[in-house]
């Protein structure tokens, strides 16, 4: 058991070091990374497409990288915004890691990019423990997923800088209790902002873009209580990595040192203004 815990800590510490380097490299070129996490089917692709399209209309240089186990469907959808888009196929890997991401960005990311949106693999468990060098970590949940989502996935919601509720146009139809959801978010991550959106109805259009630009320009970003209590996110100075909360899982390599899944391939679907 100790062997597994030590290995997990080593993997997360290595990832944090890579994330620290990536964050510094992106900051030096004036780019802020926005890491979007959610379960499958939350509507993050639809929301992101609208935000990318809005950014292009405002002449804000943005780009997006989307990760999936298979298919290029999301990249094709996002490319309709006519901003640079790249698809990463993880071939079974359930999350992105900082070193992997840095390799995919090398030689692709346009030099003038102000915001880089990462649409992480649809999963609220594995990606939550991996810092990608983000300036802003956003967790999304649709009204169809239940008000107790934050309680079921405390790491994902507990480390968020911003929480976005999607598909609010059907909130009444599914009897979504906004007050209960907000109370559960507050219980896990006190003080974090919760934004309501609807890609179909237009509610909240531009809010994600505005928050990301503000963070990029140096506006204070919410500091989750869990970040202050944990060492495995945004804490590379002492080289330590904290354990994931009880009941959640971090995907470390097997004891022989290999990766548990293939490292992934990538395809590009890009359209530049």
């Amino acid at each position: 058991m100790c062997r597994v815990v030590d290995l997990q800590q080593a993997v997360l510490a290595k990832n944090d070091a890579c994330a620290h380097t990536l964050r510094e490299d992106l900051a030096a070129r004036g780019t802020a990374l926005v890491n979007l996490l959610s379960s499958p089917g939350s509507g993050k692709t639809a929301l992101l497409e609208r935000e990318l399209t809005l950014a292009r209309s405002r002449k804000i240089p943005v780009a997006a990288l989307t990760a999936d186990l298979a298919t290029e469907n999301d990249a094709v959808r996002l490319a309709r915004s006519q901003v640079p888009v790249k698809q990463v196929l993880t071939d079974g890997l359930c999350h992105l890691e900082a070193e992997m991401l840095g390799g995919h960005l090398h030689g692709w990311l346009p030099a003038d990019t102000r915001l880089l949106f990462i649409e992480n693999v649809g999963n609220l468990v594995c990606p939550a423990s991996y810092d990608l060098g983000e300036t802003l970590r956003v967790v999304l949940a649709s009204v169809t997923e239940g008000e107790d989502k934050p309680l079921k996935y405390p790491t994902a919601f507990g480390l968020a800088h911003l929480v976005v509720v999607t598909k609010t146009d059907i909130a009444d139809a599914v009897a979504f209790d906004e007050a209960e959801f907000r109370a559960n978010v507050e219980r896990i991550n006190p003080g974090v902002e919760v934004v309501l959106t609807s890609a179909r109805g237009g509610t909240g259009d531009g809010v994600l873009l505005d928050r990301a630009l503000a963070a990029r320009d140096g506006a204070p970003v919410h500091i989750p209580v869990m970040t202050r209590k944990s060492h495995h996110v945004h804490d590379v100075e002492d080289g330590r990595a904290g354990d994931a909360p009880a009941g959640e899982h971090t995907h470390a390599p097997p004891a022989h040192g290999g990766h548990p899944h293939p490292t992934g391939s990538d395809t590009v679907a890009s359209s530049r203004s």
Side-chain angles (χ1 to χ4, degrees):
M1 181 63 180
C2 291
R3 165 70 174 166
V4 173
V5 171
D6 289 345
L7 185 59
Q8 289 176 340
Q9 290 179 340
V11 169
L12 291 172
K14 177 184 177 182
N15 182 80
D16 285 351
C18 292
H20 180 71
T21 299
L22 181 57
R23 184 178 289 106
E24 288 192 329
D25 290 346
L26 289 172
R29 58 187 290 167
T31 302
L33 191 156
V34 182
N35 185 10
L36 304 178
L37 287 76
S38 80
S39 56
S42 68
K44 64 180 178 293
T45 305
L47 177 65
L48 182 54
E49 182 184 352
R50 289 183 71 98
E51 297 297 294
L52 295 176
T53 301
L54 181 59
R56 182 173 180 273
S57 72
R58 294 183 183 177
K59 302 187 184 307
I60 301 168
V62 299
L65 180 147
T66 180
D68 277 304
L69 276 66
T71 82
E72 301 173 25
N73 294 349
D74 287 354
V76 171
R77 290 175 60 186
L78 294 179
R80 295 186 303 207
S81 66
Q82 299 183 50
V83 306
V85 173
K86 184 172 187 177
Q87 177 80 57
V88 172
L89 300 180
T90 65
D91 297 326
L93 183 63
C94 60
H95 61 275
L96 288 173
E97 297 177 10
E99 184 175 22
M100 179 197 315
L101 176 61
H104 287 302
L105 296 181
H106 182 70
W108 168 75
L109 188 65
D112 64 343
T113 304
R114 292 179 64 191
L115 295 176
L116 169 63
F117 290 91
I118 304 297
E119 184 180 9
N120 218 315
V121 179
N123 184 340
L124 281 176
V125 181
C126 310
S129 296
Y130 288 83
D131 180 9
L132 296 183
E134 63 260 26
T135 299
L136 194 68
R137 177 180 286 214
V138 182
V139 175
L140 300 87
S142 71
V143 298
T144 61
E145 295 177 65
E147 296 81 359
D148 61 347
K149 205 77 170 182
L151 305 181
K152 289 182 175 181
Y153 299 93
T155 300
F157 284 89
L159 292 174
H161 301 126
L162 178 69
V163 174
V164 174
V165 180
T166 61
K167 305 184 183 181
T168 57
D169 54 298
I170 60 171
D172 290 341
V174 297
F176 176 69
D177 189 329
E178 179 187 339
E180 183 180 349
F181 179 84
R182 287 181 179 274
N184 289 335
V185 171
E186 182 69 14
R187 178 178 170 185
I188 297 298
N189 192 346
V192 70
E193 182 182 12
V194 177
V195 174
L196 304 182
T197 67
S198 168
R200 178 175 294 178
T203 301
D205 274 3
V207 175
L208 176 58
L209 180 61
D210 290 342
R211 298 296 186 274
L213 285 171
R216 184 261 183 196
D217 293 338
V221 173
H222 170 72
I223 302 176
V225 172
M226 190 177 290
T227 301
R228 296 194 290 266
K229 291 182 178 179
S230 173
H231 299 289
H232 75 255
V233 174
H234 297 182
D235 187 3
V236 297
E237 287 76 16
D238 63 3
R240 294 181 298 166
D243 300 335
E248 294 203 51
H249 182 51
T250 55
H251 278 215
H256 57 70
H259 202 283
H261 304 288
T263 55
S265 57
D266 63 68
T267 59
V268 178
S270 105
S271 176
R272 302 188 181 183
S273 55

